[in-house]
């Protein structure tokens, strides 16, 4: 966890006071909604179908138990008793009253949480691997570098009015859990031949109406140069990004129009002017930031404790195999908490659940939690001997469904239930899928399979990069859904391929079942993942199966 200093705390409280005054002026009519809009958007406040929506950042997905308790309090006191975890390490509150928002912000600021730069055309919350700092084999803790960049880009005047929003993600492990290839800038940490750390820089990934996988524009930027290099990218974007057309304003379009080579050349030219200047990072600054991350004092524990050997409940065993991952320290494990209960809304947690999870984090995970891009939570530091007791507690509060990475671990946007831009509902489709695949043995037999759902082309539910993607489209006022397969968001990121004409709401779950049945019949071996079967055979056999009866 990162500890803020006095300057950070003063800044946050001044920011709340400023917003309180803006809200006061809006409420008494001094400001129109139009005038208020840019002010609220600087503070993560959107206007949605039914109410204002408040998006709060969880930098690099790390939360303390105390912070989670405070989020629970905001959900309980100012919202309808829950919060919604998103795909970019944020939490959203959908029902907050404008008059109460400054109070909610003040309560959050007390524990170092805020919503600055969670909306607007600026550098958004910089995300990273939810297992950062605990996963074996990581090059360095990417959160340190996310924090370096967060400090640099936050409220930077040159980057406050970019052509469009700007998203950066960082990964430092072999397996990319941060979806860096669908970000405006993706940074993959690596070492050069001399063993020094730095980043491969990928630019121009993004979903929405024109999806692109990011392209590498430089294989290695030394870590000490990462601020100046990112600045060079932002400068080129600021200068040439399309401000005339909102649909063409993201950096992915600029990269596509210029070509990666030319874009990279422009960045190099810009970088040459600034790389040896004041933006070079000195070790003392990184050491200072690093020292503010709190790392647990791990004990020397057995990696095969008796408590585990003795546990025989098959439900526990299923969970152990599904939700528990290796930790870099022997005797410890990383535990994912599924926010995808059967029939539930993906990513939702009630205030009671959040409070209970915070208590469990205190008891079993050195008071620390993580939020991942799949809309689940994690306890990053659990002693293996505590796993049976932890499982019982998680099961009681409904966050131990053993479906992590399985077909019912659906990523979904809010769709028509909340969103003013939606064509269709997303959440009820997700709920139906979790019910259809509620049988754990069946889901486990199917194996790793990510279903992602968006209620419109803005792609908040990452449908393009779902192994199965579901996109809601409007057809003469009716809800239809396009189905893609073969997408993925990890190191092998790809955009999925459309299998055929859109299908009506009532048929979506049947179509997914058909696709799964086709896969089970087609896979070369039980351990060939869905995504690999699609890669091997293409979409045709799946298409034939789905449309044979439609
Ligand atoms: C309900 C209120 C929401 C609204 C109005 C909204 C609106 C939008 C819009 C307009 C875009 C496209 C912007 C662009 O490409 O330039 C977008 C992108 C995105 N949204 Fe949302 N969103 C909402 C909620 C959410 C939620 C709940 C999530 C997570 C579950 C989410 C995750 C994302 C992500 C990850 C993208 C980026 C996709 C990309 O790379 O292009 N949004 N959103
Ligand atoms: S994908 Fe569309 S419907 Fe879903 S939250 Fe984003 S803007 Fe709304």
């Amino acid at each position: 966890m990162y500890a803020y200093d006095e300057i950070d705390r003063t800044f946050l409280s001044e920011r709340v006071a400023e917003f309180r005054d803006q809200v006061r002026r809006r409420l008494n009519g001094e400001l129109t909604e139009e005038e208020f809009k840019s002010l609220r958007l600087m503070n993560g406040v959107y206007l949605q179908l039914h109410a204002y929506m408040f998006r709060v950042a969880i930098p690099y997905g790390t939360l303390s138990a105390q912070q989670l308790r405070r989020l629970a309090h905001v959900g309980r006191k100012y919202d309808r008793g829950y919060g919604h975890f998103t795909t970019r390490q944020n939490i959203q509150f959908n029902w907050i009253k404008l008059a109460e928002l400054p109070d909610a912000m003040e309560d959050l600021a007390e524990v170092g949480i805020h919503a600055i730069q969670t909306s607007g055309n600026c550098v958004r919350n910089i995300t990273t691997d939810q297992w950062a700092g605990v996963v074996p084999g990581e090059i360095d803790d990417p959160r340190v570098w996310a924090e370096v960049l967060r400090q640099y880009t936050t409220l930077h005047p040159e980057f406050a009015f970019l052509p469009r929003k700007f998203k950066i993600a960082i990964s430092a492990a072999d397996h990319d859990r941060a979806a860096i290839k669908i970000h405006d800038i993706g940074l993959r940490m690596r070492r050069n031949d001399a063993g020094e750390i730095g980043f491969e820089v990928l630019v121009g990934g993004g979903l929405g109406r024109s999806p692109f996988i990011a392209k590498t524009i430089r294989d290695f930027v030394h870590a000490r140069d990462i601020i100046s290099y990112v600045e060079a990218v932002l400068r080129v974007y600021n200068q040439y990004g399309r401000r005339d057309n909102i649909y063409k304003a993201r950096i992915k379009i600029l990269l596509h129009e210029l070509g990666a080579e030319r874009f990279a050349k422009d960045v190099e030219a810009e970088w040459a002017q600034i790389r040896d200047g004041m933006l070079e990072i000195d070790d003392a600054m990184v050491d200072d930031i690093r020292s503010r991350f709190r790392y647990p004092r791990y004990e020397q524990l057995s990696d095969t404790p008796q408590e585990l050997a003795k546990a025989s409940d098959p439900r526990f065993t299923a969970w152990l195999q599904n939700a528990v991952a290796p930790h870099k320290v022997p005797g410890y494990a990383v535990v994912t908490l599924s926010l995808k209960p059967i029939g539930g809304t993906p990513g939702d947690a009630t205030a009671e659940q959040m409070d209970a999870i915070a208590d469990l984090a205190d008891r079993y995970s050195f008071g620390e939690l993580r939020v991942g891009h799949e809309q689940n939570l994690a306890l990053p530091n659990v002693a293996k001997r505590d796993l049976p007791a932890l499982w019982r507690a998680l099961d009681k509060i409904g966050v131990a469904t053993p479906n992590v990475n399985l077909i019912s671990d659906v990523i979904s946007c809010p769709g028509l239930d909340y969103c003013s831009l939606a064509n269709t509902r997303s959440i009820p489709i997700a709920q139906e899928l979790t019910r259809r695949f509620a049988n754990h043995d069946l889901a486990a037999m199917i194996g790793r399979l990510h279903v992602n759902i968006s209620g419109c082309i803005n792609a908040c539910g990452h449908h393009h990069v779902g192994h199965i993607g579901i996109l809601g489209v409007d057809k003469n006022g009716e809800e239809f859904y396009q189905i893609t397969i073969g997408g993925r968001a990890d190191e092998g990121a790809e955009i999925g391929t459309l299998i055929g004409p859109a299908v009506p709401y009532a048929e979506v779950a049947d179509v997914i079942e058909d696709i799964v049945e086709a896969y089970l019949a087609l896979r070369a071996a039980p351990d060939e993942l869905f995504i690999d079967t699609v890669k091997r055979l293409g979409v045709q056999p799946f298409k034939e199966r789905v449309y044979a009866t439609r």
Side-chain angles (χ1 to χ4, degrees), residues 48 413-416 419-424 426 453-461 463:
Q48 281 311 294
C413 82
L416 255 189
C419 176
S420 51
L421 305 175
N423 290 324
T424 64
S426 310
I453 313 175
S454 305
C456 83
I457 195 63
N458 286 314
C460 302
H463 64 276

Side-chain angles (χ1 to χ4, degrees), residues 55-61 88-91 114 116-119 122-128 150 166-169 183:
R55 179 183 295 155
V56 175
I58 300 166
Y60 26 83
R88 288 205 78 258
Q89 300 181 323
N90 295 313
I91 180 169
H114 61 81
I116 297 163
Q117 296 194 187
T118 60
S119 48
C122 53
V123 177
R124 301 288 186 88
N125 188 25
I126 296 174
T127 56
T128 185
R150 187 193 72 79
F166 203 87
K167 300 177 179 180
I168 302 178
H183 277 76

Side-chain angles (χ1 to χ4, degrees), residues 348-476:
D348 270 8
T350 64
E352 289 68 35
Q353 282 175 321
M354 287 191 257
D355 275 338
I357 293 167
D359 290 348
L360 293 172
D362 272 337
R363 188 153 173 202
Y364 295 114
S365 186
F366 297 89
E368 189 179 330
L369 288 126
R370 301 297 177 83
V371 183
H373 98 266
E374 298 89 355
Q375 302 183 281
N376 288 322
L377 302 178
L379 293 174
N381 292 305
V382 179
K384 283 185 165 179
R385 61 162 187 232
D386 292 335
L387 286 168
L390 174 64
W391 170 71
R392 283 191 292 276
L394 295 175
D395 190 38
K396 254 193 207 141
I397 56 168
V399 295
T401 314
N403 62 352
V404 177
N405 285 320
L406 300 182
I407 189 165
S408 55
D409 187 3
V410 177
I411 292 179
S412 165
C413 82
L416 255 189
D417 288 272
Y418 299 101
C419 176
S420 51
L421 305 175
N423 290 324
T424 64
R425 288 167 288 171
S426 310
I427 293 170
I429 301 258
Q431 291 168 329
E432 177 59 16
L433 286 176
T434 61
R435 283 189 284 263
R436 295 253 182 142
F437 294 97
N439 179 320
H440 175 68
D441 293 338
L442 171 66
M445 195 261 289
I446 296 167
R448 190 181 183 96
L449 206 171
H450 297 164
V451 179
N452 295 1
I453 313 175
S454 305
C456 83
I457 195 63
N458 286 314
C460 302
H462 290 189
H463 64 276
H464 300 102
V465 288
H467 299 173
I468 299 179
I470 304 176
L471 163 65
V473 291
D474 174 271
K475 265 199 179 176
N476 304 322

Side-chain angles (χ1 to χ4, degrees), residues 308-356:
L308 274 191
K310 276 194 284 183
S312 59
D313 186 329
R315 291 178 59 236
F316 170 74
T317 314
W319 175 82
L320 186 67
Q321 280 168 3
N322 175 259
V324 179
H327 196 284
K328 66 178 184 189
V329 178
Y332 287 86
V334 185
V335 172
T336 299
L337 278 49
S338 168
L339 295 184
K340 320 287 175 70
I342 305 307
T345 301
D348 270 8
T350 64
E352 289 68 35
Q353 282 175 321
M354 287 191 257
D355 275 338

Side-chain angles (χ1 to χ4, degrees), residues 486-499:
R488 60 196 290 177
D490 58 7
E491 56 284 354
E494 284 194 46
I495 304 294
T497 308
L498 194 62
I499 61 164

Side-chain angles (χ1 to χ4, degrees), residues 134-140 172-174 327-328:
V134 295
V135 64
E138 191 175 60
I139 292 179
D140 189 16
D174 287 344
H327 196 284
K328 66 178 184 189

Side-chain angles (χ1 to χ4, degrees), residues 190-384:
R190 54 171 39 172
R191 282 185 196 281
N192 64 10
D193 294 340
E196 296 165 313
I197 60 168
F199 300 90
E200 175 185 349
V201 180
L202 298 97
V203 174
L207 303 175
R209 147 180 339 252
S210 333
F212 287 102
I213 299 298
K215 293 207 166 74
T216 298
I217 61 162
R218 200 167 221 284
D219 285 330
F220 188 80
V221 173
H222 197 289
R224 70 171 167 260
D225 294 324
I226 197 60
I227 290 182
S228 61
Y229 196 82
V230 165
E231 163 139 357
V233 174
L234 283 164
R235 282 186 179 195
V236 171
Y237 175 48
N238 229 350
Q239 191 168 2
Y240 300 116
R242 296 274 301 264
R243 290 175 188 271
D244 58 323
N245 181 338
I246 189 174
Y247 300 117
K248 300 200 166 169
R250 297 283 294 269
I251 197 171
K252 62 189 175 185
I253 305 292
L254 179 65
L255 195 99
H256 181 67
E257 286 180 353
L258 287 180
E261 223 167 280
R262 163 76 204 286
F263 182 89
K265 255 191 201 157
D266 286 358
V267 171
E268 291 292 320
E270 198 67 43
W271 192 38
Q273 297 179 39
I274 54 175
R275 66 177 290 183
D276 296 322
M278 58 186 279
L279 296 180
E280 190 174 305
I281 303 172
D282 67 47
D283 290 346
M285 178 231 204
V286 179
D287 290 347
D288 179 45
I289 287 180
R290 202 181 286 283
S291 72
R292 286 154 180 260
F293 279 91
R294 302 269 178 271
Y295 292 93
R297 286 214 189 101
Y298 296 109
E299 291 174 66
Q300 277 205 336
L301 297 176
S302 159
D303 209 33
T304 47
Q306 286 177 5
E307 288 83 351
L308 274 191
K310 276 194 284 183
S312 59
D313 186 329
R315 291 178 59 236
F316 170 74
T317 314
W319 175 82
L320 186 67
Q321 280 168 3
N322 175 259
V324 179
H327 196 284
K328 66 178 184 189
V329 178
Y332 287 86
V334 185
V335 172
T336 299
L337 278 49
S338 168
L339 295 184
K340 320 287 175 70
I342 305 307
T345 301
D348 270 8
T350 64
E352 289 68 35
Q353 282 175 321
M354 287 191 257
D355 275 338
I357 293 167
D359 290 348
L360 293 172
D362 272 337
R363 188 153 173 202
Y364 295 114
S365 186
F366 297 89
E368 189 179 330
L369 288 126
R370 301 297 177 83
V371 183
H373 98 266
E374 298 89 355
Q375 302 183 281
N376 288 322
L377 302 178
L379 293 174
N381 292 305
V382 179
K384 283 185 165 179

